[in-house]
Amino acid sequence: MDLRKTKPLHLVTPVWNRGTRGIRGLSRAVAPEGSQKKGRSLLQFLADRFYDVQALREYLLRKQVLKVHQKNRPFTYIKERFGPHAAGAYFILKQGGAVKFQGKEWIRSDARGHFSLDFLKFQAVPVEAVDASGCAINYQGLDSLLALKELQSLWLQRCPHVDDWCLGRLHPLANSLQELSLAGCPRISERGLASLHHLQNLRRLDISDLPAVSNPGLTRILVEEMLPSCQVLGADWAQGLPSGPEEQSRDTASPIPA
Amino acid sequence: MLRRALQPGLSRGVLGRGLGTHRGRSTLDQNGKVPEIKKKVQSVLPGGAWNPLHDTSYLPPEHSDVVIVGGGVIGLSVAYWLKRLEKPRGAIRVLVVERDHTYSQASTALSVGGIRQQFSVPENIQLSLFSVEFLRNINEYLAVVDDPPLDIQFNPSGYLLLASEKGAAVMESNVKVQRQEGAKVCLMSPEQLRNKFPWINTEGVALASYGMEHEGWFDPWCLLQGLRRKVQSMGVLFCHGEVTRFVSSSSHTKTTSGEEVTLRRIHEVHVKMDRSLEYQPVECALVINAAGAWSGQIAELAGVGKGPPGTLQGTKLPVELRKRYVYLWHCPQGPGLETPFVMDAGGAYFRREGLGNNYLGGCSPTEEEEPDPGNLEVDHDFFQDKVWPPLAQRVPAFETLKVRSAWAGYYDYNTFDQNGVVGPHPLVVNMYFATGFSGHGLQQAPAVGRAVAEMVLDGHFQTINLSPFLFNRFYLGEKVQEHNII
Ligand SMILES: Cc1cc2nc3c(=O)[nH]c(=O)nc-3n(C[C@H](O)[C@H](O)[C@H](O)COP(=O)(O)OP(=O)(O)OC[C@H]3O[C@@H](n4cnc5c(N)ncnc54)[C@H](O)[C@@H]3O)c2cc1C
């Protein structure tokens, strides 16, 4: 994961980063006036558990990673009871995304993360579209999606944990997948995009705003050559060099000066 | 970043608590002037902890529990797993001795970075699967607080192996084993091959196997550098020098069958400092031979193979330097982004390099063609005669191409069966091997490091049983039958 973007690290850095201050330095930072006793037991806890400040920070870092892992655990129970489609839908809704079962309306969670469980009754109805934009889905979490054998549209816009390794395992969806959006994913590069050639039924692919792609214009052309029957949205050839932040919806009709 | 990782003086790890560092005696104080200069410099420099003149970290300590000879991926991976699996933390002191901090000849830096599960021996497949998981989560394994994340630059493009009619049956059974082990590999007919990769001429191809996941290539430098940075933060000591001698004792015992055997134990490693005639003895309990292509020489230094032929004592470590060329060429009409790592039936291979229609590849010479490994000069005729013709036949677009550059590197070539040697020596009881990987050591490094660490700490393999890779097989004549060696 991107270590620079982990929040608690930012919180911690100014306090802990003054060399190895040792546990004593900590007391002032962590336990302010008043809660003396609490502070001491905290110190005891820390001293028992941690080698030094460095180790504590490593621990915090690991916890960050663990949190993402936890969010991506499969819901085995639901899968066994209600089948892969309901399980996939439940996973995505839990993550804050939206799903569409064949012939039904889009289902999404409300502002507080609640959603109706009516879809558990759909049983054999397959999921045909998933919008996981902005979700914390990662390599492991993809398991739930790969089981959706009739998935036609998949939006993974701005997903912070979707990387080249994830793209490398989309091939089981090759038979059904027609539309894929990866716009704004910070960790996708041209290396991962190369593996999309497995998805021969793709009709629409959005690869705009990928900051990790070294040469967006050229990459887009190469992806177009690789997937001849697919419309590829992304940087123009002229935009060989990465520019500032771009609009979300792009004008797809713009011709490509070749 | 690399330069920073290589600068011994900046290492934070050695300052860590609980190490009780015994620093070696300083050889810089030649005429007593150094302390004076040091004081002067100190008064001028604003309070920095790093002081170039006081920096003795390039000197080895006087003793270390484990001495690892060779700081390539293998040696560093062993160091990493030793520190990671040790209990309690800081229990063992590990020293890595590397004679060339620029890694100018190390195989790690000169490899082509491929990783695949398309082997025929289950252990090789398991090693690669473990390593791929390691690489995928490299920023969890090798995270260092405050250092930027690593970008391993993995290209999930797969390997495509081609088989002639003669090799088809073997390929089929190999793929069966690969699938059993959990690799995602599929078989393709020539027809399917043409549909998927229209740029391939399928003449003479009866069957192809293609890795759908977990195969491709990555940046070896990044792995090396990431390991270095991590082990340094874990308290592993580094020393820039060459291992030139082992001091060992021997004892004689009789086996149950009445055979006399000599057991040896290494007590001291002599490390010759760079650009100096001086050496520093390092007392140690255990030596890991991870000297790659040079590990045969290290084994010899320890007395391995010194005995009458045919006996265990006289069994050498069969690891040699073998020179391999890699050529980088440009071909405007060449295959596109979908290009996998292609291995032709005859042994020639190539892969895409970047986006600009550049490709790199090569071919292992036959035993008779083996070039003199005395230097790393490139033979350009070898491309013309041995690499280009088969590749141009396989990919007609390659008929017009322009070689842009080339390099040569050494395989840590195991002449016995082209597979790794892992674990202790039966007679030199405290020398452990991690070498002989013959062209697939990079991809096995993360897993092999763990296996060796388990052997050292627990006395047996835990995660992957590598007993077929023990040294004993050279004496017993039991080859590891791996079909897919490039
Ligand atoms: C052209 C080429 C292509 C390859 N392609 C691949 C590939 O695609 N995939 C793959 O998995 N593998 C590949 N390999 C193989 C792989 O590079 C090696 O198996 C692997 O790097 C071995 O790592 P190592 O750490 O054992 O060796 P090295 O990286 O060579 O490290 C050994 C180190 O030991 C040091 N040393 C030696 N003697 C002494 C001494 N006496 N004292 C101190 N230090 C010493 C050396 O300086 C060296 O740095 C390739 C190799 C070559 C040459």
Side-chain angles (χ1 to χ4, degrees):
Chain A
M1 61 181 290
D2 194 334
L3 306 185
R4 283 168 304 191
K5 294 200 183 94
T6 49
K7 257 201 217 127
L9 241 155
H10 282 304
L11 289 177
V12 172
T13 312
V15 183
W16 312 76
N17 205 16
R18 299 187 196 127
T20 30
R21 262 230 226 133
I23 296 295
R24 224 158 301 130
L26 270 177
S27 63
R28 264 167 289 144
V30 179
E33 68 281 357
S35 53
Q36 275 269 326
K37 203 172 151 212
K38 222 170 153 191
R40 203 162 301 140
S41 64
L42 171 68
L43 281 185
Q44 192 52 50
F45 168 77
L46 290 172
D48 288 349
R49 284 204 62 167
F50 301 108
Y51 203 60
D52 57 9
V53 181
Q54 184 81 11
L56 172 59
R57 297 185 58 205
E58 262 167 36
Y59 169 76
L60 290 175
L61 206 70
R62 270 205 307 279
K63 253 182 75 171
Q64 280 291 307
V65 174
L66 224 65
K67 218 164 118 189
V68 178
H69 280 317
Q70 239 147 24
K71 271 197 158 178
N72 279 286
R73 274 193 315 212
F75 295 99
T76 331
Y77 166 74
I78 297 190
K79 186 163 181 174
E80 274 162 17
R81 178 88 200 280
F82 300 100
H85 293 285
Y90 188 80
F91 174 81
I92 292 299
L93 288 166
K94 265 279 186 205
Q95 288 246 348
V99 293
K100 188 179 177 310
F101 283 84
Q102 222 166 60
K104 315 269 178 183
E105 292 294 307
W106 277 95
I107 309 170
R108 33 180 100 240
S109 49
D110 64 21
R112 275 187 286 148
H114 298 308
F115 51 88
S116 141
L117 288 175
D118 291 346
F119 66 86
L120 292 179
K121 286 178 290 191
F122 296 169
Q123 295 277 354
V125 183
V127 173
E128 65 173 14
V130 163
D131 182 359
S133 296
C135 292
I137 186 166
N138 71 359
Y139 185 90
Q140 187 197 2
L142 269 187
D143 278 340
S144 304
L145 288 185
L146 297 179
L148 306 176
K149 291 293 173 222
E150 291 180 51
L151 190 65
Q152 291 175 10
S153 303
L154 177 58
W155 283 277
L156 295 170
Q157 289 167 16
R158 302 178 309 284
C159 289
H161 304 295
V162 168
D163 56 12
D164 292 339
W165 295 86
C166 292
L167 298 193
R169 68 183 303 221
L170 289 180
H171 61 90
L173 297 175
N175 283 334
S176 63
L177 202 63
Q178 295 179 13
E179 192 176 356
L180 176 64
S181 175
L182 304 170
C185 289
R187 298 171 64 181
I188 288 180
S189 79
E190 64 276 16
R191 296 180 288 276
L193 294 176
S195 67
L196 296 181
H197 75 100
H198 288 290
L199 308 177
Q200 283 300 329
N201 289 319
L202 222 50
R203 294 291 162 267
R204 225 177 118 92
L205 171 66
D206 190 348
I207 53 168
S208 46
D209 309 330
L210 301 179
V213 169
S214 60
N215 206 331
L218 176 59
T219 301
R220 176 180 166 185
I221 290 185
L222 292 173
V223 171
E224 277 170 342
E225 280 175 8
M226 181 177 85
L227 295 165
S229 45
C230 178
Q231 184 192 10
V232 180
L233 316 183
D236 289 338
W237 176 226
Q239 287 176 287
L241 296 166
S243 52
E246 289 167 44
E247 288 285 306
Q248 255 304 301
S249 57
R250 320 191 91 263
D251 182 11
T252 59
S254 63
I256 317 149
Chain B
M1 203 192 330
L2 174 68
R3 195 155 310 141
R4 216 178 85 197
L6 293 181
Q7 226 155 38
L10 281 177
S11 94
R12 197 165 7 129
V14 285
L15 301 176
R17 254 206 267 167
L19 277 171
T21 318
H22 295 248
R23 283 286 165 76
R25 46 176 184 269
S26 168
T27 46
L28 262 183
D29 293 58
Q30 289 131 337
N31 39 22
K33 276 200 181 130
V34 174
E36 241 172 71
I37 304 172
K38 211 170 70 192
K39 246 185 226 153
K40 233 180 217 169
V41 172
Q42 233 155 16
S43 64
V44 177
L45 286 175
W50 185 67
N51 183 337
L53 290 175
H54 190 55
D55 175 28
T56 52
S57 62
Y58 65 93
L59 282 179
E62 278 159 21
H63 46 89
S64 174
D65 299 314
V66 179
V67 173
I68 300 178
V69 188
V73 267
I74 299 282
L76 292 179
S77 173
V78 174
Y80 170 75
W81 286 107
L82 279 173
K83 290 312 271 182
R84 176 135 178 192
L85 301 178
E86 73 183 347
K87 269 183 222 128
R89 223 169 136 159
I92 50 175
R93 188 186 301 185
V94 179
L95 169 73
V96 176
V97 183
E98 168 58 56
R99 65 177 172 204
D100 177 10
H101 275 208
T102 65
Y103 293 98
S104 59
Q105 302 211 327
S107 316
T108 304
L110 298 168
S111 81
V112 299
I115 181 161
R116 60 182 159 120
Q117 287 82 50
Q118 297 188 55
F119 289 98
S120 64
V121 171
E123 287 81 6
N124 278 334
I125 304 168
Q126 290 160 14
L127 287 171
S128 171
L129 279 170
F130 181 94
S131 295
V132 102
E133 194 272 339
F134 184 95
L135 293 178
R136 181 161 62 75
N137 296 307
I138 191 164
N139 281 311
E140 293 169 27
Y141 284 105
L142 303 185
V144 176
V145 179
D146 289 338
D147 276 358
L150 301 164
D151 182 5
I152 193 77
Q153 310 224 347
F154 178 63
N155 286 263
S157 290
Y159 266 67
L160 178 68
L161 271 60
L162 307 178
S164 63
E165 218 172 306
K166 214 175 88 208
V170 173
M171 175 176 273
E172 228 182 300
S173 74
N174 289 351
V175 169
K176 212 167 138 197
V177 179
Q178 289 152 15
R179 288 209 184 130
Q180 269 165 8
E181 296 298 333
K184 304 271 192 305
V185 181
C186 69
L187 285 170
M188 288 164 93
S189 68
E191 167 89 32
Q192 287 169 320
L193 199 58
R194 274 193 297 274
N195 285 336
K196 196 153 185 79
F197 304 114
W199 37 263
I200 284 190
N201 169 11
T202 54
E203 202 187 313
V205 176
L207 193 65
S209 64
Y210 179 40
M212 307 289 284
E213 262 178 57
H214 302 151
E215 289 194 335
W217 55 94
F218 63 95
D219 179 10
W221 259 121
C222 177
L223 177 61
L224 187 76
Q225 177 189 320
L227 279 168
R228 243 190 110 106
R229 176 178 103 171
K230 181 68 181 177
V231 296
Q232 244 160 353
S233 83
M234 292 167 114
V236 169
L237 302 175
F238 275 84
C239 144
H240 189 177
E242 182 171 358
V243 170
T244 51
R245 209 184 137 210
F246 296 109
V247 179
S248 51
S249 64
S250 52
S251 58
H252 304 274
T253 39
K254 272 204 170 107
T255 61
T256 40
S257 54
E259 234 179 299
E260 176 119 341
V261 287
T262 313
L263 296 178
R264 281 167 175 277
R265 179 174 284 278
I266 300 169
H267 297 284
E268 244 178 56
V269 178
H270 286 189
V271 179
K272 187 169 100 48
M273 305 318 295
D274 194 37
R275 282 189 294 262
S276 123
L277 293 174
E278 234 173 313
Y279 72 85
Q280 163 106 354
V282 181
E283 228 181 287
C284 65
L286 215 119
V287 173
I288 313 271
N289 184 348
W294 300 271
S295 53
Q297 297 161 21
I298 296 294
E300 230 175 276
L301 285 182
V304 172
K306 287 205 181 111
T311 62
L312 184 55
Q313 215 119 19
T315 307
K316 284 188 170 32
L317 176 71
V319 177
E320 289 180 1
L321 298 156
R322 288 282 169 99
K323 186 153 100 171
R324 293 292 177 268
Y325 308 114
V326 182
Y327 304 89
L328 179 88
W329 64 87
H330 179 70
C331 172
Q333 310 304 326
L337 211 52
E338 73 280 10
T339 315
F341 197 125
V342 180
M343 272 164 68
D344 199 7
Y349 69 88
F350 76 94
R351 68 162 171 83
R352 183 170 58 76
E353 170 71 1
L355 298 177
N357 281 323
N358 292 321
Y359 307 85
L360 57 78
C363 179
S364 283
T366 59
E367 202 66 32
E368 298 80 54
E369 292 164 3
E370 276 296 350
D372 170 23
N375 58 45
L376 282 178
E377 265 162 42
V378 176
D379 176 4
H380 286 275
D381 291 339
F382 188 78
F383 182 78
Q384 296 293 330
D385 301 340
K386 303 290 170 189
V387 183
W388 192 18
L391 287 183
Q393 198 258 333
R394 188 56 65 221
V395 182
F398 284 158
E399 264 156 32
T400 42
L401 55 77
K402 194 167 182 316
V403 176
R404 285 246 164 112
S405 62
W407 73 86
Y410 293 123
Y411 268 17
D412 43 338
Y413 194 84
N414 171 351
T415 55
F416 182 74
D417 61 7
Q418 292 82 52
N419 274 291
V421 188
V422 181
H425 188 270
L427 297 178
V428 183
V429 290
N430 60 346
M431 171 168 275
Y432 285 62
F433 298 107
T435 182
F437 298 99
S438 319
H440 49 270
L442 177 70
Q443 60 189 288
Q444 299 192 334
V448 164
R450 180 166 189 146
V452 174
E454 286 170 355
M455 200 48 151
V456 168
L457 298 172
D458 309 323
H460 52 94
F461 296 120
Q462 299 248 5
T463 317
I464 303 174
N465 182 5
L466 292 184
S467 3
F469 291 176
L470 287 169
F471 182 93
N472 297 355
R473 75 181 193 271
F474 306 128
Y475 172 63
L476 299 169
E478 293 167 354
K479 290 192 181 183
V480 176
Q481 301 286 352
E482 175 57 63
H483 303 292
N484 292 340
I485 299 289
I486 315 184

